[in-house]
């Protein structure tokens, strides 16, 4: 292993980590993946990132970059190609990312709430998250062009973030049949899953957070 590779700390279920992983693979940037579990006491990310969150990228000179949005920004500056030049189109991708990440955030909230004993779960909270997930999926479906992408790019930030959020729905929110609600997103997801970057980063469960 080349000691000068950048290192990406990930958790195997994380849709945010998947965004960073897919971006690195699509850009063919050499890197090492380190599997961490931010919920476990032996997690390494808390020594690197004040928020103790995945994904965290350690550059080959030791600098640390965290949050999937900032990691994408950095990688795109290093090796452009996954955001359009035109400003309105750039914003379309950024907005798709915000909605896709919002879906993932709501799924994380739902998952954590469901770790509580049954009688202590807030149905109000769960139903707010369910609304965000469904509305978010509908919005992404509306934003796709007839070509099946958000803009002229085949695969850009919007597609990477959307594919990561949809894969996370399959893992952590399987009761919701999003394919039925969003046929164009289903086609996009199938197309993305034909790419090595998505095939190599299929999410899988990790140990659950410690119950508080
Ligand atoms: N906005 C962040 C969200 C990252 C995030 O929530 N990561 C989760 C894993 S999916 C995490 O590390 N959670 C641990 C914690 O919140 O303590 C990003 O886009 O990178």
């Amino acid at each position: 292993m080349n000691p000068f590779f950048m290192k990406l700390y990930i958790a195997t279920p994380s849709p945010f980590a998947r965004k960073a992983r897919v971006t690195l693979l699509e850009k063919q940037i050499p890197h090492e993946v380190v599997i961490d579990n931010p919920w476990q006491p032996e997690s390494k990310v808390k020594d690197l990132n004040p928020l103790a969150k995945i994904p965290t990228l350690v550059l080959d000179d030791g600098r640390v970059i965290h949050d999937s949005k900032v990691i994408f920004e950095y990688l795109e500056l290093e090796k452009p190609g996954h955001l359009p030049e035109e400003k309105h189109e750039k914003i379309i991708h950024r907005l798709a990312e915000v909605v896709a990440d919002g879906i993932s955030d709501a799924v994380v909230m739902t998952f954590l709430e469901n770790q509580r004993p049954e009688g202590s779960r807030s149905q109000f909270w769960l139903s707010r998250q369910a609304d965000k997930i469904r509305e978010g999926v509908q919005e992404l479906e509306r934003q796709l062009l007839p070509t099946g992408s958000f803009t002229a790019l085949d695969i850009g930030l919007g597609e990477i973030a959307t594919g990561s959020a949809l894969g996370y729905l399959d893992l952590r929110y399987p009761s919701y049949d999003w394919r039925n609600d969003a046929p164009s997103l289903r086609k996009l997801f199938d197309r993305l899953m034909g790419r090595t970057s998505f095939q190599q980063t299929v999410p899988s469960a990790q140990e659950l957070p410690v119950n508080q």
Side-chain angles (χ1 to χ4, degrees), residues 14-16 19 38-39 51-55 67-69 101 108:
S14 171
F16 307 106
K19 283 169 63 191
W39 303 105
L51 304 179
K53 287 192 185 196
I54 294 291
D67 195 290
S68 62
K69 288 193 181 64
D101 283 9
V108 170

Side-chain angles (χ1 to χ4, degrees), residues 22 33 64 93 119 147 185:
V22 168
V33 169
V64 177
H93 278 265
T147 56
L185 284 183

Side-chain angles (χ1 to χ4, degrees), residues 115-158:
Q115 300 309 302
R116 295 174 184 273
E118 213 164 325
S120 335
R121 294 177 199 160
S122 164
Q123 290 311 316
F124 168 76
W125 183 251
L126 287 170
S127 120
R128 273 187 76 91
Q129 304 314 316
D131 288 348
K132 290 179 203 299
I133 293 165
R134 281 164 206 275
E135 293 298 325
V137 165
Q138 290 298 335
E139 174 63 12
L140 292 172
E141 174 79 3
R142 276 191 297 272
Q143 292 302 323
L144 277 180
L145 299 174
T147 56
S149 298
F150 292 105
T151 61
L153 284 181
D154 261 2
I155 178 158
L157 173 61

Side-chain angles (χ1 to χ4, degrees), residues 13-23 100-101 104 157-170 189 192 198 201 203:
S14 171
F16 307 106
R18 193 180 195 187
K19 283 169 63 191
R21 292 180 74 189
V22 168
T23 305
D101 283 9
S104 296
L157 173 61
E159 287 78 18
I160 294 172
T162 298
S164 301
L166 295 174
Y168 194 54
L169 280 176
D170 284 344
F189 188 68
L192 293 173
F198 271 86
T201 56

